[in-house]
Amino acid sequence: MPSMRSIKRRKESVTSTQQITKAMKLVSTVKLQKARARVEANSPYFEALYRTICSILAKTWDLDNRFLKEDSSGKKAVIVLSSNRGLAGGYNSNIVKLVDSYGFDKENTLIFGIGRKGIEGLKRKGYHVEWDESDIINEPLYNDCIAITKTLMERFNAGEIDEIYVAYTDFRNTVTHIPTLRKMIPLSKEDFAEDMAAVLEESEQDQNLQMNYGMSNSGIERDMVFFGSVMDHYHPEEKILNEIIPKYMTNLIYGAFLEAIASENAARMQAMDSATENAQDMISTLELQYNRARQGSITQELTEIVAGAEALT
């Protein structure tokens, strides 16, 4: 059995660790609340942008546009969002597993890493990290997403990459956060099919309401009308696509940042809560061991006193 001194030192060490985990849990809780507020604030703009794209694609999917052409044989760029710190349960490892299990050809895949833990994990898997912008994840700004989109779009337009993905953790609630890999461009018809059908149905309902009652179902005119100069060499809807899809991509990256930060703090909060509970269980066990060792020490001293007394008689 360990000595009383070693048990006492171990207990003091575990108690100190427990205080740290409690503090980290509180910090993560505050950060999570702020991150959730930012996610909710960004949702209306993203939903409006997404529905606008659905409305355009519903009537212009046959356009010969570079954002709609799929080429599975070319280079793929994957923006990987993870954290710079550990102690967040399986948050970082789940992102690495998601990217690695998707079936990317490592020779034709460029990792645009944001977060050191994800970058380290993918490097060990043999992926090529094109650049490391891990500092952005600490406090992402919309301007950072604009710069990332500009860099990727320049390489996409130059033909250096043919597909762009973003890997992040989708925040649902404090318990559920799902690793997600989303293809940004080229746009996939399957990803928009259900929403495009819904937009067309709502547009028809609005038209019927306007014809019969002079009002709209939602107050928003969903039937898109395109205007463009007669000097344009392409249709106005294609020009609109070329303008709006980079904005959609920027907001998608920004939304992924916000979701990832919320998920990271939720995962760390859960991990620190579990660590605090485990520390408390360990402290209880050490207290029991200490009491047993103390009782054993007292019993031994009494035995020695009794034995000494008997020897004197």
Side-chain angles (χ1 to χ4, degrees), residues 75 192 252:
K75 287 273 188 180
F192 288 86
L252 193 60

Side-chain angles (χ1 to χ4, degrees), residues 113-126:
I114 302 173
R116 285 192 292 271
K117 294 299 180 180
I119 291 173
E120 292 170 359
L122 289 171
K123 279 184 176 179
R124 288 194 294 268
K125 297 287 186 179

Side-chain angles (χ1 to χ4, degrees), residues 10-37:
R10 181 73 186 281
K11 180 183 174 183
E12 291 174 352
S13 176
V14 174
T15 302
S16 177
T17 302
Q18 185 186 44
Q19 292 174 350
I20 294 173
T21 57
K22 281 183 178 179
M24 292 183 67
K25 177 188 174 182
L26 291 175
V27 171
S28 297
T29 302
V30 174
K31 289 183 176 180
L32 173 60
Q33 292 174 351
K34 293 181 179 179
R36 291 181 67 176

